[in-house]
């Protein structure tokens, strides 16, 4: 069985501030982990993917995520938020079935 | 690059009507998926097709049927639409579902916004 918990349905930051979106997972096998971003009226786009090659994964648009096995976490960060980062973010885990399970999403709000 | 194309983009149905949502990908992917997205619920898997000729139920298959027409196309059918099926539907594809030792990222269409009155 696998599951994903995204803490906080909404996260609000000021432009230029640190972005931290939290994701905790459970998986009975070593997982594949993903972060996706969804802009209004669009489908999901891949931000980054963890496949055990390195615990710190760099993605597009300045985002990165760190895999911490002991904490079963895969939090997404960005040092400095831009207005264009405002979107919905989804964490997903894929275990033995290879079919991803998605979290409920976190809406990132960026204030000027 | 078209990627994953979904039609229609919007649709309004009356309860009891039927319709088919179309999805096509041009990336030569083996695996295709249908999800529904509802506020606060994330994406929930309706059906998937690991490869051409196979389909399997996901988390919420009731009220839906699918057809993997060929490697490119994967359609979702609502036989008798109900208001509870009002949602945004997304089709996605991946290179392969497991087997290669790697789980590729999913590529998504832009969705079909379906309202059932």
């Amino acid at each position: 069985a696998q599951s994903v918990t995204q803490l906080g349905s909404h996260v609000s930051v000021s432009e230029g501030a640190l972005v931290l979106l939290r994701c905790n997972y459970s998986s009975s096998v070593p997982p594949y982990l993903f972060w996706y971003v969804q802009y209004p009226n669009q489908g999901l786009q891949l931000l980054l993917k963890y496949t055990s090659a390195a615990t710190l994964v760099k993605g597009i648009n300045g985002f990165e995520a760190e895999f911490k096995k002991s904490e079963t976490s895969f939090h997404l960060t960005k040092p400095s938020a831009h207005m264009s980062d405002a979107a919905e973010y989804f964490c997903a885990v894929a275990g033995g079935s290879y079919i991803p399970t998605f979290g409920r999403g976190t809406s990132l709000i960026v204030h000027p | 690059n078209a990627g994953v194309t979904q039609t229609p983009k919007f649709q309004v149905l009356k309860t009891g009507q039927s319709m088919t949502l179309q999805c096509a990908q041009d990336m030569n992917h083996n695996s295709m998926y249908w999800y529904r997205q509802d506020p606060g619920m994330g994406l929930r898997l309706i059906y998937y097709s690991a490869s051409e000729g196979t389909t399997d139920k996901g988390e919420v298959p009731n009220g839906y049927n699918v057809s993997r027409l060929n490697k490119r196309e994967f359609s979702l059918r609502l036989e008798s639409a109900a208001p509870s099926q009002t949602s945004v539907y997304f089709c996605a594809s991946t290179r392969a579902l497991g087997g290669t030792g790697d789980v590729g990222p999913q590529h998504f269409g832009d969705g079909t916004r379906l309202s059932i009155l």
Side-chain angles (χ1 to χ4, degrees), chain B residues 29-103:
Chain B
H29 284 171
N30 289 301
S31 305
M32 298 184 73
Y33 313 78
W34 276 106
Y35 292 91
R36 60 177 290 173
Q37 182 179 28
D38 302 291
M41 299 296 291
L43 274 74
R44 292 182 291 170
L45 183 65
I46 304 171
Y47 272 92
Y48 68 98
S49 171
S51 60
E52 186 178 356
T54 69
T55 61
D56 285 285
K57 296 178 180 179
E59 180 185 355
V60 289
N62 291 345
Y64 305 96
N65 285 301
V66 291
S67 295
R68 184 73 184 266
L69 305 170
N70 48 54
K71 190 172 185 179
R72 290 185 64 247
E73 299 172 287
F74 188 39
S75 63
L76 178 72
R77 183 163 178 82
L78 286 71
E79 290 291 351
S80 179
S84 62
Q85 294 177 305
T86 293
S87 188
V88 182
Y89 291 85
F90 287 99
C91 177
S93 69
T94 55
R95 185 179 65 245
L97 182 61
T100 63
D102 183 25
V103 178

Side-chain angles (χ1 to χ4, degrees), chain A residues 56-110:
Chain A
L56 184 62
V57 182
K58 294 188 183 297
I60 62 172
N61 301 339
F63 285 93
E64 63 182 33
E66 185 173 10
F67 173 70
K68 292 187 176 180
K69 183 178 179 179
S70 61
E71 299 178 7
T72 60
S73 69
F74 191 57
H75 300 332
L76 183 71
T77 60
K78 182 174 181 178
S80 177
H82 291 203
M83 296 296 291
S84 60
D85 294 327
E88 189 89 13
Y89 291 81
F90 291 92
C91 182
V93 61
S97 70
Y98 303 108
I99 299 172
T101 296
F102 287 83
R104 295 192 173 196
T106 298
S107 178
L108 177 64
I109 302 162
V110 182

